[in-house]
Amino acid sequence: MKHKLLVLTRDNSAYYEAIRRHNLPDLEVLDDSPNSVFEADVWLAEPKLAAPLLAHASQLAWVQSTFAGVDALTKSRRHHHYQLTNIKNLFGPMMSEYVFGHILALYRHHTKYSQLQRNSHWQALPLRQLRGKRMVLLGTGDIGQHICQTAHQFGIEVIGVNRSGTPKAPFDMTLSIQQLDSALPGADLVVCVLPSTDETVNLFDKHRLQLLKPGTIFVNVGRGDLVDEQALILHLSLNPTSHAVLDVYRQEPLPEDNPLWKCQNAILTPHVAAPSTTEDVVRQFADNYLRFIANQPLNNQIDFALGY
Amino acid sequence: MKHKLLVLTRDNSAYYEAIRRHNLPDLEVLDDSPNSVFEADVWLAEPKLAAPLLAHASQLAWVQSTFAGVDALTKSRRHHHYQLTNIKNLFGPMMSEYVFGHILALYRHHTKYSQLQRNSHWQALPLRQLRGKRMVLLGTGDIGQHICQTAHQFGIEVIGVNRSGTPKAPFDMTLSIQQLDSALPGADLVVCVLPSTDETVNLFDKHRLQLLKPGTIFVNVGRGDLVDEQALILHLSLNPTSHAVLDVYRQEPLPEDNPLWKCQNAILTPHVAAPSTTEDVVRQFADNYLRFIANQPLNNQIDFALGY
């Protein structure tokens, strides 16, 4: 049986090229005409581009997301008539780079040393060391596990937080989201890599942000709707020694008039912590495609009810 | 037998306090009067403060350095009539923080993203990832080993360079200093944690800096005399995509008129990568003191001929 693939990304030509190199058997790659939506049984797609077309996807059997985050597909209550898989084990190393790059820049006074250099001024600032600090890490999947390993390499104790609270390696302790409040006051670092689900929306509201001690660094590289941005802005202005490092926002691109941009102790980046490369995504798609045609279970399947 | 201790640091009172807490047996802590130099058989000292007094140290049996770097003592050709020990296994984690904080800040465009934030401008810059990069790491002792482990956590291949070239864990490969030139053209990152010895002075001269490919990040957290600073300034202006991250200099504090200060692609810090805390140093001193009075071999002994 011949399978028909629809590619829905912001750079289809790069994907066509990468897919061609894999020489996948019995696969016809369709063009991006409207007809292809009706015909294709396999989609390789960015979740937000795929979501509005699902109602017309009469032949669809499987969607391979090009991202880790698939909430644009799981949050819809309808159109769950296909298998959904996402990308895993690519983002951990990039997320570790992002998270520790920014934490270390703050701990080691990069901005202040850069000012001193501009003034040709030799002056040592107080040392803050990561060793012995405590991180509360929300999200214990492959990304969280990589960040945890990196934290351990720097001598940080890591409390993982997930839905069930089931103990998980390599975390020093694992709590459920319901137990989160007990861990926040002891945290030096709070890092969020959670997917967006009903349980995580507005998790960091005014109440929870108040549980953080002054000086805490709050990092969000998961989903923007985890945080009440107005409450965060208030929290940061009340706690000038605290910092937020944000890569994701409730609205992206972040509107030019959003007051977060001007927040002195917020560090903002435009959703760039862990982009996937076409080559890496297509490699995972190709592996899964061979499983798909052999009727084997697909890798990285998403449970629509859980949202991850 | 009663032992007599001279403390020679820039903050003696903190050391007196920490030593007192350890309740070391048979130890009299002398004050810092000139007489103490003649009387003490044990010194706990910063190398540069100890060096000019050695000629008068008639009773001296052992110097515990408060630093890792002891070249101020080993480079003198005279006065090697005592045992010298340094501090180890404290600096690796701090050096890793410093080295990867700065490398990640450069790879992940911290400065440019900060400018974009000031302009409320949402724009993604090209991703540079550490995974798959190659580091040449000069110095394979406890500091180099910690940096190597951290590099591995980020997916970096590490070639260690030391005097003999003897293979050493956890390096992917080990070369001798004589083989250094063969490794430099393939390096994305060059990190130096070498002590200052006859073999390392001016190791990075004009010739070796020319072997680095454009875009290479050169980090020196060992000793300043490893680098020909004039050659480095020339190298950086000829290679605008390359960077140097420097914590140590030929003259410290770095003179206000040194052109390094104004070098656009140099990041300078005032010898702060890995300061020792009094408490940590005194803990290692106390361990060694108990060995000293029990006539057991001291930890972290320095070979004056090798210089480390």
Side-chain angles (χ1 to χ4, degrees):
Chain A
M1 179 194 155
K2 194 88 176 169
H3 295 282
K4 295 182 176 181
L5 172 67
L6 174 66
V7 177
L8 285 167
T9 70
R10 277 168 291 184
D11 186 7
N12 282 357
S13 57
Y15 276 92
Y16 294 148
E17 176 67 24
I19 292 163
R20 205 177 46 72
R21 279 197 298 271
H22 279 270
N23 280 320
L24 295 170
D26 300 321
L27 183 67
E28 181 187 350
V29 182
L30 304 179
D31 60 22
D32 51 6
S33 69
N35 264 350
S36 304
V37 176
F38 300 102
E39 287 177 25
D41 61 332
V42 179
W43 291 13
L44 175 62
E46 296 181 19
K48 277 188 184 167
L49 300 180
L53 302 174
L54 283 174
H56 313 289
S58 45
Q59 301 301 316
L60 185 60
W62 165 41
V63 174
Q64 170 68 57
S65 163
T66 59
F67 296 169
V70 290
D71 43 292
L73 296 172
T74 55
K75 286 202 168 162
S76 146
R77 296 282 170 234
R78 302 156 54 202
H79 310 307
H80 293 171
H81 57 290
Y82 58 91
Q83 284 192 79
L84 175 60
T85 57
N86 74 346
I87 296 293
K88 282 205 173 69
N89 299 316
L90 270 186
F91 303 109
M94 284 189 275
M95 288 290 195
S96 273
E97 291 184 7
Y98 180 93
V99 168
F100 288 94
H102 284 288
I103 288 174
L104 286 167
L106 290 167
Y107 263 64
R108 291 303 192 101
H109 311 294
H110 284 196
T111 305
K112 284 180 194 163
Y113 277 124
S114 167
Q115 288 164 356
L116 289 167
Q117 180 178 348
R118 278 196 294 278
N119 299 325
S120 308
H121 187 62
W122 180 277
Q123 183 195 326
L125 300 168
L127 181 76
R128 278 169 92 186
Q129 223 194 318
L130 287 182
R131 195 172 51 156
K133 295 294 185 294
R134 180 178 293 174
M135 177 184 285
V136 170
L137 179 45
L138 291 92
T140 60
D142 67 289
I143 295 172
Q145 287 164 30
H146 195 281
I147 293 172
C148 180
Q149 284 162 1
T150 311
H152 281 166
Q153 171 62 14
F154 286 115
I156 298 167
E157 183 194 0
V158 186
I159 299 174
V161 179
N162 59 26
R163 209 169 134 274
S164 62
T166 315
K168 208 160 176 183
F171 298 90
D172 298 299
M173 188 195 290
T174 315
L175 300 176
S176 70
I177 288 184
Q178 284 70 35
Q179 297 168 301
L180 175 60
D181 290 7
S182 67
L184 290 178
D188 302 291
L189 309 159
V190 177
V191 177
C192 308
V193 296
L194 286 173
S196 175
T197 68
D198 289 347
E199 281 178 288
T200 67
V201 172
N202 278 328
L203 194 63
F204 280 88
D205 57 8
K206 187 182 161 191
H207 160 71
R208 284 213 177 72
L209 290 167
Q210 279 175 345
L211 297 177
L212 302 177
K213 64 184 178 192
T216 303
I217 298 177
F218 174 84
V219 184
N220 188 14
V221 286
R223 280 289 182 251
D225 57 15
L226 180 87
V227 185
D228 177 339
E229 289 176 357
Q230 297 312 310
L232 181 63
I233 291 169
L234 184 64
H235 168 77
L236 291 173
S237 41
L238 292 173
N239 294 278
T241 62
S242 299
H243 283 89
V245 178
L246 305 176
D247 190 48
V248 290
Y249 309 90
R250 298 189 88 93
Q251 190 184 339
E252 296 181 9
L254 187 66
E256 217 185 308
D257 59 356
N258 189 307
L260 265 179
W261 284 114
K262 299 299 177 199
C263 193
Q264 287 302 307
N265 39 347
I267 290 156
L268 310 190
T269 54
H271 206 146
V272 292
S276 42
T277 71
T278 308
E279 196 49 51
D280 287 333
V281 169
V282 170
R283 196 175 305 121
Q284 294 205 11
F285 167 72
D287 286 352
N288 251 349
Y289 177 76
L290 297 176
R291 294 174 163 266
F292 180 72
I293 61 176
N295 280 315
Q296 287 173 3
L298 300 183
N299 290 324
N300 307 329
Q301 290 186 50
I302 300 297
D303 180 322
F304 283 99
L306 293 175
Y308 60 88
Chain B
M1 179 194 156
K2 195 89 175 169
H3 296 281
K4 294 182 175 181
L5 172 67
L6 175 66
V7 177
L8 285 167
T9 70
R10 277 168 289 184
D11 186 7
N12 282 357
S13 57
Y15 277 92
Y16 294 147
E17 177 66 27
I19 292 163
R20 204 177 46 72
R21 280 198 297 270
H22 278 271
N23 279 321
L24 295 169
D26 301 321
L27 183 68
E28 180 187 351
V29 181
L30 305 179
D31 60 24
D32 52 6
S33 68
N35 264 350
S36 303
V37 176
F38 299 102
E39 287 179 24
D41 60 334
V42 179
W43 290 14
L44 175 62
E46 296 181 21
K48 278 188 184 166
L49 300 180
L53 302 174
L54 283 175
H56 313 288
S58 46
Q59 301 299 317
L60 184 60
W62 165 40
V63 174
Q64 170 68 57
S65 163
T66 58
F67 295 168
V70 289
D71 43 292
L73 296 172
T74 55
K75 286 203 167 161
S76 145
R77 296 281 170 234
R78 303 156 54 201
H79 310 306
H80 293 169
H81 58 288
Y82 57 93
Q83 285 193 78
L84 175 60
T85 57
N86 74 346
I87 296 293
K88 282 206 174 67
N89 299 316
L90 269 186
F91 304 109
M94 283 187 277
M95 287 292 194
S96 273
E97 291 184 8
Y98 180 93
V99 168
F100 288 93
H102 284 288
I103 288 174
L104 285 167
L106 289 168
Y107 262 65
R108 291 304 193 100
H109 310 293
H110 284 196
T111 305
K112 284 180 194 164
Y113 277 124
S114 167
Q115 286 164 356
L116 289 167
Q117 180 178 347
R118 277 196 294 278
N119 298 326
S120 308
H121 188 62
W122 180 278
Q123 183 195 326
L125 301 167
L127 181 76
R128 278 170 91 188
Q129 224 194 317
L130 287 182
R131 194 172 52 157
K133 295 295 185 294
R134 180 178 291 175
M135 176 184 286
V136 170
L137 179 45
L138 292 92
T140 60
D142 67 288
I143 294 172
Q145 288 163 32
H146 196 280
I147 293 172
C148 179
Q149 284 162 2
T150 311
H152 282 166
Q153 171 63 15
F154 286 114
I156 298 167
E157 183 194 0
V158 186
I159 300 175
V161 179
N162 59 25
R163 209 170 134 273
S164 61
T166 315
K168 208 161 176 182
F171 297 90
D172 298 299
M173 188 195 289
T174 315
L175 300 176
S176 70
I177 288 184
Q178 283 70 33
Q179 298 168 300
L180 175 61
D181 290 7
S182 68
L184 290 178
D188 302 292
L189 309 159
V190 176
V191 178
C192 309
V193 296
L194 286 173
S196 176
T197 69
D198 290 346
E199 281 177 289
T200 67
V201 172
N202 278 326
L203 194 63
F204 281 87
D205 55 9
K206 187 182 161 191
H207 160 70
R208 284 215 176 71
L209 289 167
Q210 280 175 345
L211 296 176
L212 302 177
K213 64 183 180 192
T216 303
I217 298 177
F218 174 83
V219 184
N220 188 13
V221 286
R223 280 288 182 253
D225 57 15
L226 180 88
V227 185
D228 177 339
E229 289 175 357
Q230 297 312 309
L232 181 63
I233 290 168
L234 183 64
H235 168 77
L236 291 172
S237 41
L238 291 174
N239 294 277
T241 63
S242 299
H243 282 89
V245 178
L246 305 175
D247 190 48
V248 291
Y249 310 88
R250 297 190 88 93
Q251 189 184 339
E252 296 181 10
L254 186 67
E256 217 185 308
D257 59 357
N258 189 306
L260 266 177
W261 284 114
K262 299 300 178 198
C263 192
Q264 288 302 307
N265 39 347
I267 290 157
L268 311 190
T269 53
H271 206 145
V272 293
S276 42
T277 71
T278 309
E279 196 48 52
D280 288 333
V281 168
V282 170
R283 195 176 305 118
Q284 294 205 10
F285 167 71
D287 286 352
N288 252 349
Y289 177 76
L290 296 176
R291 293 175 164 267
F292 180 72
I293 60 176
N295 281 315
Q296 288 173 3
L298 300 183
N299 290 324
N300 306 329
Q301 291 186 49
I302 299 298
D303 180 324
F304 283 98
L306 293 175
Y308 59 87

